[in-house]
Amino acid sequence: MKLGWPRSLIARILLAEVVTFVLATTLLLSFTLSTLRGSVSRIQNDVFIAQAEAVASGLRISQDDQWRVELNPSLAPIFQTHYDGRAYRVLDADGFEVARSPFAGAEPASAMPRADKPAVFEVGRLAGVSLPVDTYGRRLWVVVTQEQDRPGAILDDVVSAFLRALALIIPLMLLLPIVNGLIIRRLVGAVRRVSLRAAEIDADRLSERLPETGLPSEVIPLVQAVNALVDRLEAGFRRQAEFSSNIAHELRTPLTTLSLKLTMVEDRALRSQLAAQVERLSHVLSQLRDLAALETLDRNQFAEVDLKALAVAVVGEMAPSVVDRGHAIEVSGPAEVQVLAVRALVELALRNLIENAVRHTPEGVRIRVAVDAEGSLTVLDDGPGIASETIGDVVRRFWRADHGRTDSAGIGLSIVQRIIDVHGGVLTVRNRKPHGASFNLKFPIS
């Protein structure tokens, strides 16, 4: 499996910060420990020399040529215990010990330097300093040592202080990626919210614009570009709607004039044929006008609509023409079902479905408009139904199941689909058993 950068921006930044933190901490610890060792070594050597000078100042010789050391009371306890392994020896020019502390080790004195100036040395597990002293007319060397496996009080204090400081610094450094992650998460959250707003913009909400508040400055140009794109889309939809509306309006007057002129045609068969074509053209223009109106719908037009009352009113208006064309029609369902919708559009959708059922079924077919309590409006018929391979295409604009027919442009059901999309509902088309078709409109319940 090939490893790479994570896709998440937050994960990438946090990963980079963690890697940087680990590297920085490692380098910092290495540098600090190296500096600490050097500092402790210098401090310890200074302490050794100071203690050697204190021992030298306490050197005394008796009448029988015996040396002793009289230490300051504050310094004496250091050499009276073996806790920290501190000890002193006083050597003469021949390398013999003339005085020593109680816990001085057994290391040979010959291994300890006797130079003309203070000398720092290490012998086995001992570290110490050799200080030349001229006293009572003799040259002596005061040697102060420290067992390295028994850290002295100075070293303990320095290391403890360093570890305490480090114990405070490292958690603070660990907080940096966490704080940065929270800040970045907040910024990315703002970007994600804007992305969700962008996903909600569709043909019905072209008036929406993405907000710039709270976004990083690097993202604002992208938001502005998206808003400009939506501006162009809205203008394009508006021009398209205006064009369709203008075409329908411009052709309606000539059609009205043509309808009047047809009454002057003496051949009844020809007059009937021409009138049918004029009616078809008028129907198509009405549908184009309806489509244009849908593209410029104002969301403030939505209100509570009683589906049952609406269905009764539409069926009552259309019943005479439906019956004249050899069909029966009825309404069924609960007394009252409230949905959130645009009444004129629901009426238009229902009229199109009823008209579709009348146009595409033979005489004698029974049409029923059913309303249910879940906010559904269904138009059913007991005609031949829809060919199973074409059910998915019936709502596609300008598509016709019967290409031999010339009384429809395939716009009616696409208008119904557009209306239900505007309402956030669902249009379901299916065949009934044993025969017939069902067109169900599901609206949001008020």
Side-chain angles (χ1 to χ4, degrees), residues 73-91:
S74 63
L75 185 63
I78 296 177
F79 298 100
Q80 296 301 319
T81 67
H82 196 231
Y83 166 71
D84 59 359
R86 193 71 57 85
Y88 68 81
R89 303 179 187 192
V90 181
L91 308 178

Side-chain angles (χ1 to χ4, degrees), residues 101-376:
S101 62
F103 294 97
E107 290 79 9
S110 59
M112 301 176 186
R114 295 187 302 280
D116 294 333
K117 59 182 180 180
V120 177
F121 67 91
E122 289 187 10
V123 177
R125 61 193 182 94
L126 292 182
V129 66
S130 175
L131 177 71
V133 178
D134 292 317
T135 182
Y136 294 99
R138 297 177 62 177
R139 168 60 66 94
L140 300 175
W141 284 266
V142 177
V143 179
V144 176
T145 59
Q146 166 76 57
E147 295 181 17
Q148 297 187 70
D149 56 355
R150 289 177 176 271
I154 295 293
L155 182 61
D156 285 344
D157 290 344
V158 173
V159 172
S160 298
F162 169 73
L163 292 178
R164 285 195 299 270
L166 193 63
L168 293 174
I169 293 173
I170 290 182
L172 290 176
M173 293 180 66
L174 284 173
L175 283 176
L176 291 178
I178 297 175
V179 172
N180 288 342
L182 292 175
I183 295 173
I184 295 168
R185 181 180 180 183
R186 182 174 181 180
L187 294 176
V188 173
V191 176
R192 186 176 292 113
R193 287 191 294 273
V194 171
S195 300
L196 294 176
R197 282 281 295 273
E200 293 174 355
I201 297 177
D202 55 20
D204 303 323
R205 304 182 66 176
L206 288 178
S207 61
E208 296 281 345
R209 295 297 180 269
L210 302 182
E212 300 179 10
T213 306
L215 292 177
S217 58
E218 294 82 0
V219 180
I220 290 179
L222 177 60
V223 172
Q224 292 173 342
V226 172
N227 286 336
L229 174 61
V230 177
D231 287 339
R232 294 192 294 272
L233 286 174
E234 184 180 23
F237 271 83
R238 188 182 299 110
R239 286 193 296 269
Q240 178 184 358
E242 290 173 354
F243 176 77
S244 299
S245 180
N246 290 337
I247 289 294
H249 177 73
E250 291 297 327
L251 292 180
R252 184 156 302 280
T253 299
L255 280 177
T256 303
T257 303
L258 185 58
S259 297
L260 295 174
K261 295 292 185 182
L262 285 179
T263 59
M264 301 172 61
V265 177
E266 296 181 359
D267 189 331
R268 180 175 298 179
L270 178 60
R271 184 171 65 247
S272 177
Q273 184 180 3
L274 293 176
Q277 293 297 323
V278 170
E279 181 186 357
R280 174 175 175 267
L281 186 54
S282 179
H283 179 68
V284 171
L285 290 176
S286 297
Q287 292 181 323
L288 286 175
R289 187 187 64 248
D290 294 337
L291 276 175
L294 282 173
E295 303 302 341
T296 56
L297 178 66
D298 185 356
R299 306 282 305 179
N300 294 326
Q301 298 174 2
F302 282 74
E304 289 188 354
V305 175
D306 183 351
L307 280 185
K308 179 62 178 296
L310 182 146
V312 170
V314 171
V315 170
E317 292 178 8
M318 298 186 67
S321 63
V322 172
V323 172
D324 286 346
R325 294 160 75 172
H327 295 76
I329 188 168
E330 64 180 47
V331 180
S332 64
E336 182 178 351
V337 179
Q338 297 288 339
V339 297
L340 188 63
V342 179
R343 182 180 181 87
L345 295 184
V346 180
E347 290 182 357
L348 177 60
L350 181 56
R351 288 177 183 277
N352 272 282
L353 290 179
I354 294 174
E355 183 66 26
N356 183 72
V358 171
R359 285 175 177 270
H360 297 286
T361 57
E363 292 185 7
V365 166
R366 177 170 165 267
I367 300 171
R368 181 163 61 93
V369 178
V371 179
D372 68 21
E374 300 300 321
S376 288

